[in-house]
Amino acid sequence: MTEELDKKDWRTRLHVIIFEADTRAGKLFDVMLIFSIFISVIVTMLTTVDTIEVKWHNELKIAEWVLTILFTIEYILRIIALRRPKRYIVSRLGLIDLMAFLPTYLELFMKGSKYFSVIRVFRLIRIFRILKLVPYVKQLEYLRRALYQSRRKILVFAMMVLSMVVILGSFMYLIEGADNGFTSIPRSIYWAVVTLTTVGYGDISPQTVLGQFLASIVMLLGYAIIAVPTGLISVEMSKSIDQIMNTQSCPDCGFSKHDTDAKFCKICGKKLN
Amino acid sequence: MTEELDKKDWRTRLHVIIFEADTRAGKLFDVMLIFSIFISVIVTMLTTVDTIEVKWHNELKIAEWVLTILFTIEYILRIIALRRPKRYIVSRLGLIDLMAFLPTYLELFMKGSKYFSVIRVFRLIRIFRILKLVPYVKQLEYLRRALYQSRRKILVFAMMVLSMVVILGSFMYLIEGADNGFTSIPRSIYWAVVTLTTVGYGDISPQTVLGQFLASIVMLLGYAIIAVPTGLISVEMSKSIDQIMNTQSCPDCGFSKHDTDAKFCKICGKKLN
Amino acid sequence: MTEELDKKDWRTRLHVIIFEADTRAGKLFDVMLIFSIFISVIVTMLTTVDTIEVKWHNELKIAEWVLTILFTIEYILRIIALRRPKRYIVSRLGLIDLMAFLPTYLELFMKGSKYFSVIRVFRLIRIFRILKLVPYVKQLEYLRRALYQSRRKILVFAMMVLSMVVILGSFMYLIEGADNGFTSIPRSIYWAVVTLTTVGYGDISPQTVLGQFLASIVMLLGYAIIAVPTGLISVEMSKSIDQIMNTQSCPDCGFSKHDTDAKFCKICGKKLN
Amino acid sequence: MTEELDKKDWRTRLHVIIFEADTRAGKLFDVMLIFSIFISVIVTMLTTVDTIEVKWHNELKIAEWVLTILFTIEYILRIIALRRPKRYIVSRLGLIDLMAFLPTYLELFMKGSKYFSVIRVFRLIRIFRILKLVPYVKQLEYLRRALYQSRRKILVFAMMVLSMVVILGSFMYLIEGADNGFTSIPRSIYWAVVTLTTVGYGDISPQTVLGQFLASIVMLLGYAIIAVPTGLISVEMSKSIDQIMNTQSCPDCGFSKHDTDAKFCKICGKKLN
């Protein structure tokens, strides 16, 4: 029975180390983890740089495999440490953890899949916990709320933009034609996106006078309508901050989304503290 | 006489199916319609991609004609279903519906006109009805009001920008000249638009030191004045939301910026009418 | 003496026609003027387009000279119509009017100077009067006030941006060097402006890994700090509109910049009407 | 003892001239200093322009050394003029002053280091004192406060953007491959930054249909999310201005958003303390 207890203790201690960052061991584990993730992302990137790959081929391969095996062990430990590991396995965080080492094994069977391991970068989200960044998450809350509140306006705006690039791209295809690089409507739509968003690669650019005239209009349009999402987000963000800032709820009716300057509940008229 | 009644019934039923989305048949009709429009836009696009066109020439041609005939039948049904079809025919929606199939027929006489059928993309506006997106339209209302309220400022701003690109383009024509790609004033104005809107294709770019200096100023100008439309829209949008809100002022303290859901003054607690 | 009176009458009538737009003749004069200005700007542009110039050489030359002579006559009439023409001659509008025809004559002595006549485009400012656009000017007032209020912040921001492009440009010159297109510090500063303002011609672009890394930082910086002028203008614009909207001044102390929600003068406490 | 006094007097007078701008001599010194700094920055730039360097080699070299020696003397005088020069030497301003002449001497031993003297441009910050621009610094205060208040949101936003460019860059590397210019993941990340920030050099651009599709999404994303920092800064700036405003609330009606110059409540007319 002591062994049973020991095993239980061992699991609890493991949980404290791996999943929490309040003890010294837990913090050390997290710092080392973040560091390993960072290194592994860099390693994956460097294996794609020819000059470096040729020179440090073996070193990179060893680093890759050491880190992959470490991540595999960590993943197994996480599952062991949990009483009901199923929820973790199917959670977003669990899937990202799995994707952090799986591609290296898959590489043995399918060339090129190893590069998917850059998905490890998402594991850096754990940095929020190690730095005790609860306020950061609250900040995200503002943003998420503002985006959620304006989701319909954003959708309508997105549909407008999409219709515009389809129509404008098709027109440019008719005006410029294949000889000037507008070889098909999809490619012309790609050009319209490049232009409307003011990216402007210049890999395709209008050559005819009429095409340049239409392109100028597209640019001015793109230059002007960027004001719309910016205005939307500004207004919603300002509103969402106002509502989050006054955190008290009405003692009578419980309504809680009061403005910062509210002295009385706007729903039932009760004085707020 | 029963035949007369039947015919009338038939027309009413047709109207419910085609123009409304409340019955099961009406909803099904709309979903199929949206789907057909989507497919037809894709088909039109793909016919312009050489590699696909060569391989699937016949399939694309058949799909194009099937969809065109379906749209034609739908258009005729719409006219039959209405008691006074004239208003629909000359309406924006009616003209778009007509433009959705007409170009394919015109193609028989005039090559190239078929591409105009991408105008079909506008028919997707019907998606608002099928998804019962009345709130979406309300969201558009905010936007439209903000744009309408600031139409004069936008016009003044547009005139300023237009004058700037004409003057700056002409100056660059004098400074750089035809040898550096600034072959004419219209082309130099095109360059000024490309630069001021921060698109920057790079198909024409200044080569002389003076030209690069002037270009730098144009860029910084374009970078700075984008704040103007953005500021305009933000302010107007925020105002237009305020105005849609409760317009009454508190009978006791006179505070007037109440939210739409306010029943009591949030400053002094007085009940609002 | 009647002749003297006639002359005076003639001058008054001329003034009404040329400088005002309230009579029928005055309006007609203004419409024709705007039209001539528009045509003359187009003509000046077209003379620089080789293909058009070769084909329509004589027609363009005649149009240019007819318009120039018309503008000269108009300028002389304006001077005659005024009792004290000095103020008009040295005014901004007067100088622009002079610049509208002078370059064509100068062209006879100095080649290339004729292109300066595109300055005519500024004459289109008269369109404000003909369209009775007093409200438009009021709109400009908002903008001008917002810009004036934030002139110091804008200057500080401009100095920050200028220092940044000088320092960043110099660094890139050291990192990339002449072989990669960064042939001198001024040219590298030009590159920094092109990049920071997100224009991105691509005529000069970093080739080394370190250069691309620094360039990425410049881009992200440029992408982020555009928020500063936009935020500045938005806030100032919103404030300036508030102050313009409540147009009453305090009956006691005469203070006039009241907010829209002001019921009492914030300076002396007097109730506002 | 008189000599002692004289020396003290001499030091005090030196301090007044060099560190202050209230006396005539002090102002003259500052104007000349700003002018020298400006000239020296221009000289450093011009030495990198080949055509100018070849022609004016000696003149530029002499100017460079004269200015460097002047800056050295000025630096020594500053140290002499101060009772406790240590604090000045290690201050930011002191280090910049040192960096203004040190690189020229270092150039004798290490080629290329002279270009670091463009850091002189930061010395122009003294222009604030000469123009008595205290209000300018206050304006910066707004900005700094707004940036400080939103530092967490900015950090979260920056991390989101960084993750996005890493993931998107890796995907593009897999899709496009080395043949289309995406030779490595770091280079593909560089492309992602160029595209997301809407800079768009065009030195690397997608060639495959799938790549162009993903690129279009990156562009639209970059076009949309610029609203986030802009909205953040706008809101914070507006809040920071509010907070700098009068913080007292009306004793009668409780309204609290009073302007800084308010003496009476603008809502109920009560005198504010």
Side-chain angles (χ1 to χ4, degrees):
Chain A
M1 189 175 159
T2 44
E3 200 176 59
E4 175 79 339
L5 192 81
D6 268 16
K7 207 180 155 191
K8 194 187 159 185
D9 264 357
W10 175 77
R11 176 184 276 175
T12 311
R13 251 181 297 141
L14 197 66
H15 188 278
V16 168
I17 293 171
I18 299 181
F19 282 92
E20 285 159 45
D22 298 318
T23 61
R24 207 174 156 161
K27 203 171 261 173
L28 189 72
F29 177 84
D30 273 349
V31 170
M32 274 167 50
L33 182 62
I34 296 288
F35 184 73
S36 313
I37 296 165
F38 202 77
I39 293 293
S40 70
V41 171
I42 300 290
V43 165
T44 308
M45 282 184 193
L46 292 183
T47 55
T48 67
V49 184
D50 273 0
T51 52
I52 291 171
E53 224 281 322
V54 168
K55 216 171 162 188
W56 306 91
H57 179 79
N58 290 327
E59 288 82 349
L60 286 172
K61 199 141 207 177
I62 291 164
E64 177 63 28
W65 275 106
V66 168
L67 286 162
T68 300
I69 289 162
L70 280 178
F71 289 159
T72 314
I73 294 168
E74 182 220 338
Y75 186 73
I76 294 165
L77 286 180
R78 276 181 194 276
I79 288 173
I80 293 171
L82 289 165
R83 228 167 268 273
R84 294 186 212 81
K86 223 184 243 171
R87 236 186 75 191
Y88 161 71
I89 290 168
V90 297
S91 75
R92 230 182 308 177
L93 226 60
L95 289 172
I96 291 170
D97 288 354
L98 184 68
M99 288 301 292
F101 61 85
L102 214 61
T104 318
Y105 297 113
L106 282 176
E107 177 70 11
L108 298 174
F109 310 104
M110 208 172 75
K111 244 201 131 206
S113 58
K114 70 171 166 179
Y115 302 122
F116 283 109
S117 59
V118 286
I119 220 161
R120 283 166 185 169
V121 83
F122 281 129
R123 297 197 75 197
L124 289 174
I125 215 168
R126 288 177 202 280
I127 216 168
F128 278 87
R129 192 181 53 203
I130 192 182
L131 295 176
K132 302 225 164 285
L133 294 179
V134 184
Y136 283 69
V137 182
K138 236 188 173 173
Q139 302 302 330
L140 270 176
E141 194 46 45
Y142 284 76
L143 208 68
R144 201 178 306 163
R145 193 196 270 246
L147 288 174
Y148 182 78
Q149 291 283 353
S150 50
R151 68 192 180 289
R152 281 193 184 132
K153 287 175 212 143
I154 288 171
L155 195 70
V156 168
F157 180 70
M159 280 183 66
M160 267 169 53
V161 168
L162 281 180
S163 304
M164 270 163 59
V165 294
V166 169
I167 297 294
L168 291 168
S170 307
F171 263 102
M172 284 304 276
Y173 172 73
L174 293 175
I175 292 169
E176 292 281 331
D179 294 341
N180 295 328
F182 294 76
T183 49
S184 68
I185 288 183
R187 195 168 154 81
S188 300
I189 290 171
Y190 163 71
W191 169 86
V193 173
V194 169
T195 303
L196 195 80
T197 57
T198 76
V199 170
Y201 283 138
D203 50 352
I204 320 166
S205 63
Q207 304 300 325
T208 64
V209 173
L210 188 58
Q212 291 181 347
F213 184 74
L214 186 61
S216 299
I217 289 168
V218 175
M219 287 167 209
L220 290 169
L221 223 77
Y223 187 66
I225 63 176
I226 196 155
V228 174
T230 307
L232 279 174
I233 298 289
S234 293
V235 170
E236 288 300 336
M237 225 171 240
S238 146
K239 266 170 53 186
S240 103
I241 282 170
D242 270 4
Q243 288 175 356
I244 281 178
M245 257 157 71
N246 197 333
T247 51
Q248 57 187 335
S249 69
C250 175
D252 263 32
C253 73
F255 184 80
S256 64
K257 289 183 176 176
H258 296 293
D259 294 337
T260 23
D261 60 346
K263 299 247 166 347
F264 290 83
C265 175
K266 68 181 177 183
I267 299 300
C268 71
K270 180 82 185 176
K271 202 178 180 335
L272 301 170
N273 307 13
Chain B
M1 191 173 160
T2 44
E3 202 176 59
E4 177 78 339
L5 192 81
D6 268 15
K7 208 179 155 190
K8 198 186 158 186
D9 263 357
W10 176 78
R11 177 184 274 175
T12 311
R13 251 181 297 140
L14 197 65
H15 188 279
V16 167
I17 292 171
I18 299 182
F19 283 92
E20 284 160 44
D22 298 317
T23 61
R24 206 171 157 166
K27 204 170 259 173
L28 189 72
F29 176 84
D30 274 349
V31 170
M32 274 166 50
L33 182 61
I34 296 287
F35 184 74
S36 312
I37 296 166
F38 202 76
I39 294 293
S40 71
V41 171
I42 300 288
V43 165
T44 307
M45 283 184 192
L46 292 183
T47 55
T48 68
V49 184
D50 272 0
T51 50
I52 291 171
E53 223 282 322
V54 167
K55 218 171 160 186
W56 307 91
H57 179 78
N58 289 327
E59 287 83 349
L60 285 172
K61 199 141 206 177
I62 290 164
E64 176 63 29
W65 274 106
V66 167
L67 286 162
T68 299
I69 288 162
L70 280 177
F71 290 158
T72 315
I73 293 168
E74 182 221 339
Y75 186 72
I76 293 165
L77 286 180
R78 276 181 195 276
I79 288 172
I80 292 171
L82 290 165
R83 228 168 266 272
R84 295 187 210 81
K86 225 184 241 171
R87 236 184 77 193
Y88 160 72
I89 291 169
V90 296
S91 74
R92 229 182 309 178
L93 227 61
L95 289 172
I96 291 171
D97 288 354
L98 184 68
M99 288 301 291
F101 62 84
L102 212 61
T104 318
Y105 296 113
L106 282 176
E107 176 71 11
L108 297 174
F109 310 102
M110 208 172 75
K111 245 201 129 201
S113 58
K114 71 172 166 179
Y115 301 124
F116 283 109
S117 59
V118 286
I119 220 159
R120 283 167 185 169
V121 83
F122 281 128
R123 296 198 75 198
L124 288 173
I125 216 168
R126 289 177 201 279
I127 216 167
F128 279 86
R129 192 181 55 202
I130 193 182
L131 295 176
K132 304 225 164 280
L133 293 180
V134 185
Y136 283 69
V137 181
K138 235 188 174 173
Q139 302 301 331
L140 269 175
E141 195 45 47
Y142 283 77
L143 208 69
R144 203 179 303 164
R145 195 196 270 247
L147 289 174
Y148 181 78
Q149 292 284 352
S150 51
R151 69 193 179 288
R152 283 195 183 130
K153 287 176 211 140
I154 289 170
L155 195 71
V156 168
F157 179 70
M159 279 183 67
M160 267 169 55
V161 168
L162 281 180
S163 303
M164 271 164 61
V165 295
V166 169
I167 297 294
L168 291 167
S170 305
F171 262 102
M172 285 303 277
Y173 172 73
L174 292 175
I175 293 169
E176 292 281 331
D179 293 340
N180 294 330
F182 293 76
T183 49
S184 68
I185 289 183
R187 196 167 154 81
S188 300
I189 290 171
Y190 163 70
W191 169 87
V193 173
V194 169
T195 302
L196 195 82
T197 56
T198 77
V199 170
Y201 282 137
D203 50 351
I204 320 167
S205 64
Q207 304 301 326
T208 65
V209 173
L210 188 59
Q212 291 180 348
F213 183 74
L214 186 61
S216 298
I217 289 169
V218 176
M219 287 167 209
L220 290 170
L221 223 78
Y223 188 64
I225 62 175
I226 195 156
V228 174
T230 308
L232 278 174
I233 298 290
S234 293
V235 170
E236 288 300 336
M237 226 171 239
S238 146
K239 263 171 55 187
S240 104
I241 284 169
D242 273 3
Q243 286 171 359
I244 286 174
M245 284 179 175
N246 207 325
T247 50
Q248 58 188 332
S249 69
C250 174
D252 262 32
C253 73
F255 185 80
S256 64
K257 288 188 176 172
H258 298 292
D259 294 336
T260 19
D261 59 348
K263 292 197 171 51
F264 290 82
C265 174
K266 69 181 175 182
I267 299 299
C268 70
K270 180 81 185 178
K271 203 178 181 336
L272 299 170
N273 308 12
Chain C
M1 185 163 164
T2 44
E3 202 176 57
E4 175 80 336
L5 192 83
D6 269 16
K7 208 179 156 192
K8 198 184 157 186
D9 264 356
W10 177 74
R11 178 184 274 172
T12 311
R13 251 180 296 141
L14 198 65
H15 188 279
V16 167
I17 293 172
I18 300 183
F19 282 92
E20 284 159 45
D22 297 318
T23 60
R24 208 173 155 164
K27 204 171 260 173
L28 189 72
F29 177 84
D30 274 350
V31 170
M32 273 166 51
L33 182 62
I34 296 286
F35 184 73
S36 312
I37 296 166
F38 202 77
I39 293 294
S40 71
V41 170
I42 301 289
V43 165
T44 307
M45 283 184 191
L46 292 184
T47 56
T48 68
V49 184
D50 273 0
T51 50
I52 290 170
E53 224 282 322
V54 167
K55 218 172 160 186
W56 308 91
H57 179 77
N58 289 329
E59 287 82 351
L60 287 172
K61 201 143 205 175
I62 290 164
E64 176 63 29
W65 274 106
V66 167
L67 287 162
T68 300
I69 289 163
L70 280 178
F71 290 159
T72 315
I73 293 168
E74 181 220 341
Y75 186 71
I76 293 165
L77 286 181
R78 276 181 194 275
I79 289 173
I80 292 172
L82 290 166
R83 227 167 267 272
R84 297 188 209 78
K86 225 184 239 171
R87 237 185 74 194
Y88 161 71
I89 291 170
V90 297
S91 75
R92 230 182 309 176
L93 226 60
L95 289 172
I96 291 171
D97 287 354
L98 184 68
M99 289 300 293
F101 61 84
L102 213 61
T104 318
Y105 296 113
L106 282 175
E107 177 70 12
L108 297 174
F109 311 103
M110 209 172 73
K111 245 200 131 207
S113 57
K114 71 171 165 179
Y115 301 123
F116 283 109
S117 59
V118 286
I119 220 160
R120 285 168 184 167
V121 83
F122 281 129
R123 297 196 76 197
L124 288 174
I125 216 168
R126 289 177 202 280
I127 216 167
F128 279 87
R129 193 182 53 202
I130 192 181
L131 295 176
K132 303 229 164 281
L133 294 179
V134 185
Y136 282 70
V137 181
K138 236 187 175 174
Q139 303 301 331
L140 270 176
E141 194 46 45
Y142 285 74
L143 209 69
R144 203 179 303 164
R145 195 195 269 246
L147 289 174
Y148 182 79
Q149 291 285 352
S150 51
R151 70 192 179 288
R152 282 191 182 132
K153 287 176 212 140
I154 289 171
L155 195 72
V156 168
F157 179 70
M159 280 183 66
M160 267 170 54
V161 168
L162 280 181
S163 303
M164 270 164 61
V165 294
V166 169
I167 297 295
L168 291 168
S170 305
F171 263 101
M172 284 304 276
Y173 172 73
L174 293 174
I175 293 169
E176 291 281 330
D179 294 341
N180 295 329
F182 293 76
T183 49
S184 68
I185 289 184
R187 196 168 153 82
S188 301
I189 290 171
Y190 163 71
W191 169 86
V193 172
V194 169
T195 302
L196 195 81
T197 56
T198 77
V199 170
Y201 283 138
D203 50 350
I204 319 166
S205 65
Q207 303 300 326
T208 66
V209 173
L210 188 58
Q212 291 180 347
F213 183 74
L214 186 60
S216 298
I217 289 169
V218 175
M219 286 166 210
L220 289 170
L221 223 78
Y223 188 65
I225 62 175
I226 195 157
V228 174
T230 308
L232 278 174
I233 298 289
S234 294
V235 170
E236 288 300 335
M237 225 171 241
S238 145
K239 265 170 55 187
S240 104
I241 282 169
D242 270 4
Q243 288 175 358
I244 280 176
M245 257 156 72
N246 198 333
T247 51
Q248 57 187 335
S249 68
C250 175
D252 263 32
C253 73
F255 185 80
S256 64
K257 289 184 177 176
H258 297 291
D259 294 336
T260 21
D261 60 347
K263 299 249 169 342
F264 290 83
C265 175
K266 69 181 176 182
I267 298 301
C268 70
K270 180 81 185 178
K271 202 177 182 334
L272 299 170
N273 307 13
Chain D
M1 189 170 159
T2 43
E3 201 174 61
E4 175 78 340
L5 191 81
D6 269 14
K7 207 178 155 190
K8 196 186 157 187
D9 263 357
W10 176 76
R11 177 183 277 172
T12 311
R13 251 182 296 142
L14 197 65
H15 188 279
V16 167
I17 292 171
I18 298 182
F19 283 92
E20 285 159 45
D22 297 319
T23 61
R24 208 175 154 159
K27 204 170 261 174
L28 188 72
F29 177 84
D30 273 350
V31 170
M32 274 166 51
L33 183 62
I34 296 288
F35 184 73
S36 313
I37 296 166
F38 202 76
I39 293 294
S40 71
V41 170
I42 300 290
V43 165
T44 307
M45 282 183 192
L46 292 184
T47 56
T48 68
V49 184
D50 273 359
T51 51
I52 290 171
E53 224 281 323
V54 167
K55 218 173 161 185
W56 308 92
H57 180 78
N58 289 328
E59 286 84 349
L60 286 172
K61 201 143 207 176
I62 291 164
E64 176 63 29
W65 275 105
V66 167
L67 286 162
T68 300
I69 289 163
L70 280 177
F71 289 159
T72 316
I73 294 168
E74 182 220 339
Y75 186 72
I76 294 167
L77 286 180
R78 276 180 194 277
I79 289 173
I80 293 172
L82 290 166
R83 226 165 268 272
R84 296 186 211 79
K86 224 183 241 170
R87 236 186 75 194
Y88 161 71
I89 291 169
V90 297
S91 74
R92 231 182 309 176
L93 227 60
L95 289 172
I96 290 171
D97 287 354
L98 185 68
M99 289 301 292
F101 61 84
L102 214 60
T104 318
Y105 296 113
L106 283 175
E107 176 70 11
L108 298 174
F109 311 103
M110 210 172 73
K111 245 202 127 199
S113 57
K114 71 171 166 179
Y115 301 123
F116 283 109
S117 58
V118 286
I119 220 160
R120 284 168 184 167
V121 84
F122 281 129
R123 296 196 77 198
L124 288 175
I125 215 169
R126 287 176 204 280
I127 215 166
F128 278 87
R129 192 182 52 202
I130 192 182
L131 294 176
K132 302 224 166 285
L133 294 178
V134 185
Y136 282 70
V137 182
K138 237 187 173 173
Q139 303 300 332
L140 270 176
E141 195 45 46
Y142 283 79
L143 207 69
R144 203 178 303 164
R145 195 195 269 247
L147 289 173
Y148 182 79
Q149 291 285 352
S150 50
R151 68 194 179 288
R152 282 196 183 128
K153 285 174 214 143
I154 288 170
L155 196 71
V156 167
F157 180 70
M159 280 184 65
M160 266 169 53
V161 168
L162 281 180
S163 304
M164 269 164 60
V165 294
V166 169
I167 297 295
L168 291 168
S170 306
F171 262 102
M172 284 305 275
Y173 172 73
L174 293 174
I175 292 169
E176 292 281 331
D179 295 340
N180 295 328
F182 294 76
T183 49
S184 68
I185 287 184
R187 195 167 153 83
S188 300
I189 290 170
Y190 162 71
W191 168 86
V193 173
V194 169
T195 302
L196 195 81
T197 57
T198 76
V199 170
Y201 283 137
D203 50 351
I204 319 165
S205 65
Q207 304 300 326
T208 65
V209 173
L210 188 57
Q212 292 181 345
F213 183 74
L214 186 60
S216 298
I217 289 168
V218 175
M219 287 167 209
L220 289 170
L221 224 76
Y223 187 65
I225 63 177
I226 196 155
V228 175
T230 308
L232 279 174
I233 298 289
S234 293
V235 170
E236 288 300 336
M237 224 170 242
S238 143
K239 263 172 56 188
S240 103
I241 284 170
D242 272 1
Q243 287 172 1
I244 287 174
M245 283 178 175
N246 206 325
T247 50
Q248 58 187 334
S249 70
C250 174
D252 262 32
C253 75
F255 185 81
S256 64
K257 287 187 176 173
H258 297 293
D259 295 337
T260 20
D261 59 348
K263 292 195 171 52
F264 290 82
C265 175
K266 68 181 177 184
I267 299 299
C268 72
K270 180 83 186 176
K271 203 178 179 337
L272 300 171
N273 308 13

